[in-house]
Amino acid sequence: MKFNTLAFCIALLVFSVASVSASDDIGQSVYTKSCAACHASGVMGAPKVGDKAAWSGLIAKGFDTLTHNAIKGEGKMPPKGGNTKLTDEEMKAAVAYMMEMSK
């Protein structure tokens, strides 16, 4: 019985780590393909990823607010950054990636 419980816990841990890595990979991929066009250089006032000062106020608003704004559009940024083929889940992953890279 203890072995089965241990095996289950290990499997759960491995699955959780794999899920986080997959989400990180999706976020980075979406950022690279869609978001970096503006957020790498600051085009039209987009906060540059990695600029802690530019992102601190945004991060303070919280993940849900940033995700909502990214999906619906905010200021000069069109909905989904102009790539309407992106899913909401892909947008969430990209926002999480940009936030993490800008802490």
Side-chain angles (χ1 to χ4, degrees):
M1 179 72 172
K2 287 184 180 181
F3 178 75
N4 287 340
T5 303
L6 179 60
F8 174 76
C9 290
I10 290 171
L12 185 60
L13 178 63
V14 168
F15 177 74
S16 296
V17 170
S19 294
V20 170
S21 295
S23 179
D24 289 348
D25 291 346
I26 292 169
Q28 183 176 12
S29 176
V30 171
Y31 167 76
T32 301
K33 292 177 184 173
S34 297
C35 308
C38 295
H39 287 282
S41 62
V43 171
M44 295 192 309
K48 291 183 188 180
V49 170
D51 183 343
K52 294 177 188 202
W55 279 85
S56 64
L58 297 170
I59 290 171
K61 292 179 181 182
F63 177 75
D64 291 338
T65 298
L66 288 183
T67 300
H68 177 275
N69 292 345
I71 291 170
K72 300 296 183 189
E74 175 77 6
K76 295 178 184 176
M77 184 180 73
K80 296 187 177 182
N83 186 350
T84 57
K85 292 181 181 180
L86 292 171
T87 67
D88 288 358
E89 291 304 313
E90 289 171 322
M91 291 300 296
K92 287 178 185 179
V95 168
Y97 174 78
M98 290 189 284
M99 288 175 73
E100 187 61 34
M101 298 304 295
S102 302
K103 287 183 178 177

